[in-house]
Every structure is written in C-alpha cells, then in structure tokens.
Amino acid sequence: MKILNKIKSDNESGKVSFISYVTAGDPDIKTTLDIMKSLVNNGTDIIELGIPFSDPISDGPTIQKASERSLKKNINISKALNIVKEFRKEFSTPIIIFGYYNPFLRYGINNLMRDIKNVDANGILVVDLPPEESHQIQKSVNKHSLELVYLVAPTSTDYRIQTISNLSNSFIYLVSVTGVTGTRSKIDKNLIPFIKKLKKITKKPICVGFGISSTKHVNELKKKVNGIVIGSAIVKIIEKNLNDKREITKKISNFCRKISKACRI
Amino acid sequence: MPKNKFNFNSLPDKNGRFGDYGGMFVSETLVPALNDLENKYKKIKNNSSFKREVKNLLKNFVGRPTPLYLAERTSRDIGGAKIYLKREDLAHTGAHKINNTVGQAILAKLMGKKRIIAETGAGQHGVATATICALLGLKCEIYMGATDTFRQAINVQRMKLLGAKVIPVKSGSQTLKDALNEALRDWVTNVRDTFYIIGSVAGPHPYPMIVRDFQSVIGTESRKQIIKIQNKLPDLLIACVGGGSNAIGLFYPFLNDQSVKMVGVEAAGNGIKTGFHSASIGAGSVGVLHGSKTYILQNDNGQVEETHSVSAGLDYPGVGPEHSFLKDIKRVKYVSVTDIEAVKALQYFSEKEGIISALETAHALSYAMKVAKKMSKKESIIVNLSGRGDKDLESVNDFLNKNRQNQ
C-alpha cells in the first residue's frame, strides 16, 4: 500500500502530503515526463496522472482544455502508462492514475489493473464511479494489490461516508466544494466543519482537493487533513506557457517549492 | 420475440438497471441528489393531488389528449398498411417534450427547488422547460450547444421571450452532448437548490425512468385511441430515436403486447459508412456516457465521437439505456434513415398531408413510408409525430440549397 504508506510517513515527518495533478500528454509526452520530474524534485509527494477524456464533466475549463490538448496528441491509456514506465527509471514517487470510467471500461478493467501494476503505478481514481458502481473495479484492484481512491463530497451523507470508508483501501479524497475542478480564491466556509465530521466517521487519511491552489489555502488546511491535492493551478501554468516548454517546468518548479514549503507543519 | 420473458413494468431494477444498462455513473457529489430525487419521485408519483395537478395541466395547458390521425392520402398513395400519426406536434409548444417538463417541474416545485436548469438540442426541450417555468414562476436557465443556437434560432428566441436565460455552450462539438456536459457541471455546482430537468430518457438513474413515465402518456393514449378506431392493436409502432424519449413514450405501454412490433429510427446522417451520423445503437458499442451505461459512439480509446445529423435533436452520441436493453433482447428493432431521406419525407408529408413535421420526426416518417409498402392493407402502423417543423425551416432550406449545388 505504497500511497497510504507515503502519506503516513509524510505526516510523521511533520508535513501534509502534497499531491500534484497533471494530464498525461499535456502538452506532449516528453514535456509531461519533464513536468513530473520537476514536480517531484520540488517537493511533490504523490502524482495524480490524468487520462484525457472527451467529456470531462467533473472538470472546469482549465482541465477540460488540458484534456483537449492531450487528445489532439492522440494520447491514450497505453501511452500514459508508458510515461509512468519511463518515470519509474528514476523515481519511486507513488502514482495514481486518474480518469473517467469510459476509457477504462473500453480498455478492459482487468487488463488495465494488470498494466497499471506492470508499470508500477500504485492506484486509481475514477471520478464518475461512486461505490454503487465500483464492484468490478474494486475486485480487480484488490487482486492486483493496487489502491482504489474514492471521493467523498460535501453532499455525502454519514451513511455514504461510512460505506465509502469501509470499501476504501486507500485515502479518502475529499472534494472541497460542490462543483467541478478549478482554482478558487477562497476555501469554502463549510469545509472545516465538514472535515471535523468526516474524521468522526472514518479513520482513513483524508486528502482534500478541488479548488486548492495557493499557499494560503494550504496553510488553512494543513493541520486539519493528511494531504492536499493541487491540479488546476499547475495545469494553468502549462496553459499559459505553451510556446515555451522550458518556462513550463521552471514555473511549475517554483510553484511547487512554495507549496511544498507551506506543507510543512 | 421472447414470450413473457420480461416484465417490462418492473424495470429499472433497484440499482437503476435495465438488464446491464443504465446505472448511476456520476461523481459522488451528485449521488445523494439522485437518491433524493428517486425517493421523492417514488413517494409523490402516486399521490393523488400530484396526479391531479399533472393531469389538469396536460389537459388544459398542453391540450391532451393529442389526436391519433389517419394519414389517409399517404396510406392510399403508398398502398400498404394504414399509417396513423400520433399528433404530438399539436401539443402546446409543438412537441412531446412538454409532457415530461410538466411532470418534472411540478416535482421540482414540491421538492422546494427554485431554480431549474435544462439542456436542449433542437430547442424543443428548452422551450418546453422555459414554458412550464414561466407558468409555475421558476427561474430557468437552458444550456444549448452554440451550433444549435444558430440552426434552431427561432427556439432560442422563444426561450428568451418565455423569460429563460439561454447559455450557449462552446466546448466540444457545440451540440446536445456538450450542452448536457455543461448542464451536469452546473448541477454538480448548484446541486442543493437547483433541479435539473433532463429532456430525454438518458442520464443517470432515476432520470431514464422518470422521463419514460412522464412520456408514457403518448403510448397510453395511443393504445386507447387505436382500439377505439379499429377495435384491435396496431401491428407496428415507429418513432425516431436520439436520446429516445418520444420513442419510449410511445412504446412503453405496448411492450407487453407481444403482437405489436416496434421500430426505433436513428439518424444515419450522410450515411452510416461515411462516419457522419448519430446511430448510437446501429453503429455504436457499449460504454458509459452522461451517467449511464448504454450504446454510444466511441473510438477504440473510449473517447466519445462527434456526431452528425441534419436534425439537432438526434445529433447525440448516446441513447437511453432502456433502448439498449430493448435492442439486445430484440423487443424493438432499430434502423436508421439518412438526412436526405428525412428531408424528402418532410417534404412529402408537407405536400400530401398538410403537416410540416420536425426534422427529427421526419426520420420516423421516412421509415414508415418504406415499410408500409411491404405490409398489407389490413395492417396498421402508428408513427409518433413527435414535433412540428417550424423551427427547422432554415435548416431544411440550407440543406436543399447545398444539395442542389452538389448535384
């Protein structure tokens, strides 16, 4: 359970885990690999690698566009997993494959878990697969000793949180707001009380994402949760520097260093 | 055909499945809202004051029952089966869509939701939603693909006049699929105070069930009317299928009548072989789109493909999960009709019957003309005349002009 263990050791060493999201192949395969290296060299603890999808209904405009750029380069699951394979030549950072159900279903759930295991990625998060529909994938994940990350949302009832906690063999990914991915200026005022409630129901580590984008957000949350996830803020740097790939890695490195510093408790 | 193998009235099952199809493939944020909707709907639907309110509006506001009309000239001209038209074009706002919006909007009101959102392709569902929202005093915002706002400009004007806000969607192919994506993004953001009125039998459970139930009034009326007219059931039902709400509405009350055959007509666009079409069942494969497992048009990587049809309402890469189920068990046959065939049928019915149908509907009419020829005069067909064509005049003209230039 490499992801869980990493969060545990991060927390024990006095920091909240820093999870970074990038879309595979945005803006191209080689740059994604460079970005992943920069993320890790500048303090990212866990990487979420996104598989592009034509209809990303849980994503705001920033990650939608990343998905479109990646699809224009014909990125698919095999190519994304190849990036992981290359990355693994140098780094042992835990990797979560992140995406929507249809591309996974088309690839074949068992084949997917086998291949995720083969390239030594460590877990999977399927954003449109609530526990009601996750039976098949959970079985396959268990068989290959991978981790399946479930979402908990501000709308989740106590009963659902309990169900998800019982099913999960990884951390709980808490969606900070009702809504889609994307940077937001403020942390939702209901988040902290919700985290308190969540902790009463589950003993699983909690990582919070959706809208988290600045050191200020990290400082507000770091003593309350086990990890924070940053996606759109990183993807925005890519979007703004498409003409200069060196600038992308440089700016992402700077951003990560700041966030990573803020993650220290 | 299977004999009494399925009790169609018991579907979907408790997991929202029609066989293997359907379900609830959405992010966690929406699941509690969908569960809540299902529970409230099940509680309210048999409530006598709810039923009375829906019935009253359908009768006095929508103008139901709509007539079942024998297309005499066409039937004579073709010389085969009698063709009856279920005149949903005569329902208020000009299409069957209003049957569903009346039901869902009253449900929304009873659930205490003040804001309504909806997606629309041809604009008929948008207009039907805006109409009922105006009547009930609900705030209404409609997502519509930017491409569709041009080709169905009249409906955009109608929605605005009815007090709705129309939000053009500029992502993806800028058609119905993208409007649905954007409406779902809005709903996940405003789920606590917003009711999403889905316009077809697509989407996550319980929507395919709710929309079917509200549209079943089409089939229930047709069944009574045809028995009154000819003292026997029809031999064949025909309806066009995009998401498939008008088709399910007509078919559902007949599903247990083994002798009644049914055909759903998809849009073949420029022709299935050209790749420019919207035939999700005819040319697609099983996948998950907009929260439900069903036939979709996708590539080898599971990316949803762009579709084409001259009719905005059929221009959708998925289909309601119940249709996928009915296809697999062979209870309904699915065929497709090209743009050209549909436009020809639209012209034919305009000239012969004095009825300008919607382009969507014209697909069903075209197939009806083909198949009626092969049937005997003793047999009868009901075609769901799902909507009128006022909104399509410009699309039809553009299409005819382009075709003339190409010849």
Side-chain angles (χ1 to χ4, degrees):
Chain A
M1 296 291 108
K2 206 170 158 183
I3 301 164
L4 267 185
N5 291 339
K6 175 73 170 128
I7 294 171
K8 202 171 160 224
S9 73
D10 286 343
N11 294 168
E12 281 168 0
S13 76
K15 65 172 179 177
V16 62
S17 291
F18 173 21
I19 305 173
S20 291
Y21 170 91
V22 280
T23 303
D26 171 32
D28 56 60
I29 286 177
K30 186 184 168 297
T31 313
T32 298
L33 191 59
D34 291 342
I35 292 170
M36 288 168 75
K37 290 175 184 174
S38 307
L39 291 172
V40 175
N41 286 331
N42 294 284
T44 289
D45 299 303
I46 296 166
I47 291 179
E48 262 183 26
L49 186 62
I51 306 295
F53 183 46
S54 52
D55 296 82
I57 52 177
S58 294
D59 285 301
T62 305
I63 296 182
Q64 284 177 44
K65 279 183 227 149
S67 217
E68 281 172 24
R69 288 194 292 273
S70 166
L71 285 175
K72 272 198 189 124
K73 301 267 165 168
N74 295 314
I75 302 302
N76 57 22
I77 293 173
S78 306
K79 288 178 189 169
L81 294 181
N82 264 329
I83 300 177
V84 178
K85 204 171 161 187
E86 282 300 307
F87 178 79
R88 275 282 174 267
K89 290 178 181 166
E90 292 176 58
F91 297 94
S92 62
T93 312
I95 292 179
I96 303 163
I97 301 297
F98 178 105
Y100 291 82
Y101 192 47
N102 196 54
F104 297 153
L105 187 67
R106 186 76 177 168
Y107 193 91
I109 299 303
N110 279 320
N111 294 347
L112 177 68
M113 298 313 154
R114 179 198 66 204
D115 293 349
I116 287 180
K117 190 74 187 174
N118 280 342
V119 297
D120 195 22
N122 313 95
I124 182 164
L125 194 167
V126 191
V127 68
D128 54 352
L129 201 71
E132 281 83 351
E133 307 289 356
S134 71
H135 178 72
Q136 191 197 0
I137 220 169
Q138 181 75 62
K139 226 168 90 182
S140 188
V141 159
N142 293 345
K143 186 179 149 200
H144 290 94
S145 311
L146 295 164
E147 292 177 52
L148 178 59
V149 180
Y150 285 94
L151 301 176
V152 162
T155 50
S156 302
T157 57
D158 292 5
Y159 176 76
R160 294 189 61 78
I161 296 170
Q162 189 66 62
T163 308
I164 290 166
S165 175
N166 292 344
L167 274 174
S168 171
N169 66 349
S170 191
F171 67 89
I172 302 279
Y173 187 127
L174 173 61
V175 178
S176 81
V177 285
T178 58
V180 293
T181 60
T183 58
R184 286 168 178 84
S185 57
K186 270 196 286 190
I187 300 268
D188 190 286
K189 64 176 185 339
N190 299 314
L191 181 61
I192 304 286
F194 190 82
I195 292 171
K196 272 186 195 148
K197 180 178 105 166
L198 190 55
K199 279 181 171 166
K200 281 187 195 144
I201 305 174
T202 180
K203 295 275 168 283
K204 297 263 157 72
I206 299 163
C207 299
V208 61
F210 279 46
I212 315 299
S213 52
S214 67
T215 53
K216 187 172 158 273
H217 297 161
V218 175
N219 285 327
E220 280 176 55
L221 290 169
K222 64 184 174 187
K223 288 183 184 154
K224 313 273 194 296
V225 294
N226 306 88
I228 52 107
V229 189
I230 298 193
S232 294
I234 293 168
V235 175
K236 250 187 188 166
I237 299 176
I238 301 174
E239 185 184 319
K240 282 188 180 152
N241 296 281
L242 286 169
N243 297 324
D244 189 347
K245 283 164 194 161
R246 281 225 304 262
E247 203 63 11
I248 292 177
T249 45
K250 202 174 113 190
K251 285 194 172 145
I252 285 179
S253 300
N254 290 340
F255 177 75
C256 281
R257 274 200 297 277
K258 273 188 242 161
I259 296 290
S260 169
K261 213 172 133 194
C263 285
R264 297 241 146 245
I265 290 161
Chain B
M1 200 182 296
K3 292 251 186 286
N4 290 325
K5 206 169 142 196
F6 298 96
N7 177 9
F8 293 101
N9 299 332
S10 71
L11 295 176
D13 66 17
K14 65 179 173 31
N15 300 316
R17 298 285 187 136
F18 304 88
D20 192 36
Y21 300 106
M24 205 186 268
F25 296 86
V26 294
S27 77
E28 172 64 19
T29 314
L30 290 181
V31 179
L34 291 166
N35 287 337
D36 187 39
L37 174 61
E38 182 182 359
N39 292 334
K40 295 267 165 51
Y41 172 69
K42 282 187 171 158
K43 219 181 269 173
I44 290 170
K45 75 170 179 177
N46 293 319
N47 175 309
S48 56
S49 75
F50 174 74
K51 285 202 289 195
R52 215 179 308 124
E53 194 174 354
V54 172
K55 207 174 163 188
N56 174 48
L57 280 182
L58 288 183
K59 180 168 179 246
N60 299 310
F61 184 65
V62 176
R64 302 206 71 90
T66 57
L68 184 70
Y69 172 75
L70 174 62
E72 243 182 306
R73 289 193 71 198
T74 310
S75 303
R76 211 183 312 128
D77 189 23
I78 290 172
K82 281 199 182 82
I83 299 176
Y84 287 93
L85 305 174
K86 179 59 175 166
R87 297 292 306 276
E88 292 301 297
D89 59 321
L90 295 178
H92 180 41
T93 70
H96 70 290
K97 293 291 185 187
I98 191 99
N99 304 330
N100 168 50
T101 60
V102 164
Q104 284 200 54
I106 296 173
L107 189 58
K109 211 180 71 176
L110 292 175
M111 286 174 74
K113 309 273 182 179
K114 302 261 185 287
R115 177 176 178 263
I116 302 289
I117 57 167
E119 85 294 338
T120 196
Q124 288 303 121
H125 175 59
V127 168
T129 304
T131 298
I132 191 68
C133 285
L135 184 72
L136 299 179
L138 296 162
K139 192 179 170 198
C140 176
E141 295 182 26
I142 308 286
Y143 289 93
M144 186 170 190
T147 304
D148 293 340
T149 61
F150 297 118
R151 59 176 164 171
Q152 311 276 232
I154 289 175
N155 276 343
V156 175
Q157 286 171 30
R158 292 168 80 196
M159 286 183 265
K160 286 183 178 164
L161 204 53
L162 290 160
K165 185 175 165 194
V166 180
I167 306 165
V169 177
K170 290 182 179 142
S171 57
S173 56
Q174 312 194 354
T175 57
L176 180 54
K177 165 185 90 117
D178 310 286
L180 242 150
N181 287 344
E182 214 48 46
L184 282 165
R185 288 184 188 117
D186 180 315
W187 198 39
V188 83
T189 307
N190 302 300
V191 60
R192 288 191 175 102
D193 67 350
T194 295
F195 190 103
Y196 180 15
I197 300 189
I198 293 189
S200 195
V201 285
H205 178 67
Y207 280 105
M209 169 181 77
I210 292 178
V211 178
R212 175 199 69 196
D213 291 355
F214 287 136
Q215 290 295 2
S216 297
V217 66
I218 302 171
T220 306
E221 284 176 8
S222 299
R223 203 169 180 284
K224 272 190 212 146
Q225 290 166 320
I226 193 83
I227 288 175
K228 201 171 168 198
I229 294 169
Q230 60 177 27
N231 205 20
K232 61 168 186 168
L233 288 167
D235 299 280
L236 179 63
L237 307 177
I238 301 175
C240 65
V241 176
S245 71
N246 90 78
I248 283 285
L250 176 63
F251 296 168
Y252 186 66
F254 290 94
L255 283 174
N256 290 322
D257 297 318
Q258 310 264 341
S259 67
V260 180
K261 294 193 178 107
M262 303 176 191
V263 176
V265 186
E266 295 190 298
N270 296 351
I272 301 286
K273 281 178 189 156
T274 65
F276 291 94
H277 61 81
S278 306
S280 316
I281 292 183
S285 53
V286 176
V288 168
L289 177 66
H290 295 142
S292 109
K293 191 171 189 185
T294 189
Y295 280 95
I296 64 173
L297 292 168
Q298 59 181 330
N299 70 15
D300 291 342
N301 294 323
Q303 306 298 342
V304 181
E305 298 206 288
E306 291 196 357
T307 51
H308 167 80
S309 169
V310 68
S311 69
L314 303 184
D315 206 346
Y316 180 66
V319 65
E322 192 162 11
H323 283 293
S324 296
F325 171 69
L326 294 172
K327 189 246 174 182
D328 279 10
I329 63 163
K330 298 191 164 69
R331 178 64 185 94
V332 178
K333 183 176 151 189
Y334 293 85
V335 299
S336 60
V337 156
T338 63
D339 286 352
I340 295 175
E341 292 171 312
V343 170
K344 277 187 181 154
L346 186 149
Q347 290 176 302
Y348 179 95
F349 274 82
S350 300
E351 289 165 17
K352 290 274 160 137
E353 296 290 344
I355 297 171
I356 303 174
S357 82
L359 273 170
E360 291 77 13
T361 310
H363 289 73
L365 294 173
S366 170
Y367 182 77
M369 290 167 72
K370 273 189 232 173
V371 75
K373 236 180 265 176
K374 299 177 203 156
M375 294 167 68
S376 89
K377 283 184 181 168
K378 284 182 194 149
E379 291 180 296
S380 61
I381 300 172
I382 297 177
V383 184
N384 195 1
L385 201 99
S386 53
R388 71 179 185 219
D390 309 38
K391 69 187 177 61
D392 291 320
L393 298 186
E394 224 176 286
S395 296
V396 171
N397 279 337
D398 285 354
F399 183 86
L400 291 173
N401 285 338
K402 251 184 234 161
N403 264 17
R404 243 172 252 132
Q405 280 160 18
N406 290 344
Q407 272 164 13

